[in-house]
Amino acid sequence: MDEVRAQVADARERGEPLGLATVLVGDDPGSRKYVDMKQRESTELGIESHDVRLAGDISQERLEDELRRLGDRTDVDAVLVQYPLPRGLDYMRALLTIDPVKDVDGLHPVNLGLLAAGEPRIVPGTPRGILDLLQWHGVDLAAKRVVVVGRGLTVGRPLSVLLSSKRDDANATVTVVHTGSRPDDLRAAVEQAEVVIGAAGSPGLIQPEWLVDEPVIVAAGVSFPEGKAVSDFAPGCRERASAWTPTTGGVGPMTRAWLFVNVTNCRRLRQA
Ligand code: NAP
């Protein structure tokens, strides 16, 4: 983060502060909490943050107009649309109205496509943060059997691509399981894995007895069934793991750190 701080300070000194716009549609408490945190932390860093909150019953067209307006602003380097959008709104169509160089979450098809092609440009923050977390804690992923539980847009899908990429901090053998998998295959995949990543948002889905050989477990998937954060790993999993991330304060801070790195990446790309 020191590098980000330095770049933010440098841009401010030159009178061209970095600008991040967050767009929250509707009033989902979880999404609101995430956006509040991103707003607070970006302001603390010295990034100019633009906090756009829209009613949950906004039309697709009005949402896209708003995003185009942010896209045209020269003081906005990066635009984040909080995922998921309320029912009835199309997230991908909304993203397509943003210039890919302002797509700070790295979820625009151009950025996801570059990731899949092995030429990553703006990488989604949660997958990127998980890779860092594993590397910093000495988990060498090369040739490891990794299972990702979930194939969602923000975590499972890009993470599985990143983990299997030919790069020094990845190069893993990756299995992806999802609701279309046979329940027995979910269990079998976890039993064989050396690293298990929960990215489902299904509370307590992964059972302790499935963790056979003390794998590393990463709790990215979090849900709030009674207002309290619950991970995809059932109680008792940590005791059977060689290393684990906490449900809160593990992957989340890494996600936000990469959000801010990506703001600087957006600025660099805009100026290129
Ligand atoms: P998503 O789009 O809802 O994807 C969830 C995925 O999990 C889907 O692929 C779904 O399968 C699969 N799944 C759900 N229940 C399952 C089950 N019982 N068995 C097998 N697979 C199951 O979510 P996302 O945006 O990728 O996010 C995933 C999780 O990470 C969520 O809990 C989210 O809150 C959390 N998250 C955490 C952070 C962080 O910083 N810690 C950041 C972003 C997201 P189908 O595809 O078949 O429906």
Side-chain angles (χ1 to χ4, degrees):
M1 284 302 279
D2 288 348
E3 173 65 18
V4 173
R5 269 181 236 285
Q7 287 189 41
V8 171
D10 184 53
R12 271 202 169 274
E13 258 169 42
R14 282 187 282 105
E16 297 168 351
L18 288 154
L20 166 69
T22 61
V23 178
L24 174 65
V25 186
D27 55 3
D28 174 73
S31 294
R32 204 170 50 219
K33 201 173 119 210
Y34 289 135
V35 170
D36 287 347
M37 266 193 287
K38 290 167 188 174
Q39 278 289 329
R40 194 182 59 243
E41 289 179 15
S42 64
T43 304
E44 280 167 11
L45 268 173
I47 294 172
E48 288 291 312
S49 53
H50 309 271
D51 188 357
V52 180
R53 307 220 170 191
L54 303 170
D57 61 359
I58 193 171
S59 67
Q60 181 78 29
E61 290 66 30
R62 282 243 6 253
L63 171 60
E64 290 176 15
D65 285 347
E66 187 66 41
L67 294 174
R68 274 190 212 96
R69 203 178 55 76
L70 292 169
D72 289 343
R73 280 176 59 168
T74 51
D75 60 339
V76 171
D77 294 284
V79 180
L80 177 155
V81 184
Q82 185 64 34
Y83 179 87
L85 289 172
R87 207 180 289 274
L89 293 171
D90 186 326
Y91 184 76
M92 211 28 93
R93 258 183 63 198
L95 266 196
L96 282 166
T97 63
I98 300 174
D99 185 338
V101 301
K102 288 194 174 189
D103 164 40
V104 73
D105 271 336
L107 298 173
H108 187 289
V110 167
N111 289 317
L112 284 180
L114 286 167
L115 177 66
E119 301 282 343
R121 192 172 64 173
I122 300 175
V123 179
T126 306
R128 192 64 190 78
I130 290 172
L131 237 61
D132 277 352
L133 209 53
L134 291 168
Q135 200 183 27
W136 291 343
H137 289 278
V139 180
D140 181 7
L141 289 167
K144 287 270 163 48
R145 288 191 297 267
V146 181
V147 62
V148 180
V149 184
R151 58 181 166 190
L153 178 70
T154 65
V155 190
R157 179 63 70 203
L159 178 60
S160 62
V161 172
L162 199 53
L163 287 165
S164 60
S165 298
K166 199 168 187 174
R167 44 190 280 167
D168 289 346
D169 57 356
N171 230 3
T173 303
V174 182
T175 304
V176 183
V177 281
H178 42 75
T179 59
S181 307
R182 289 183 233 161
D184 284 354
D185 286 346
L186 166 61
R187 179 180 181 147
V190 172
E191 281 179 347
Q192 289 181 16
E194 294 161 287
V195 179
V196 183
I197 303 177
S202 177
L205 173 66
I206 302 158
Q207 298 300 307
E209 60 273 21
W210 302 354
L211 307 179
V212 175
D213 204 10
E214 298 189 341
V216 172
I217 63 174
V218 178
V222 188
S223 41
F224 302 87
E226 281 160 11
K228 199 172 151 270
V230 180
S231 102
D232 293 345
F233 292 93
C237 282
R238 287 179 183 178
E239 289 72 13
R240 296 176 65 102
S242 55
W244 48 269
T245 64
T247 307
T248 50
V251 173
M254 298 302 296
T255 299
R256 295 194 296 285
W258 267 96
L259 166 68
F260 304 128
V261 175
N262 278 345
V263 175
T264 67
N265 286 335
C266 288
R267 166 66 65 92
R268 185 174 42 76
L269 287 164
R270 284 182 68 210
Q271 290 179 336

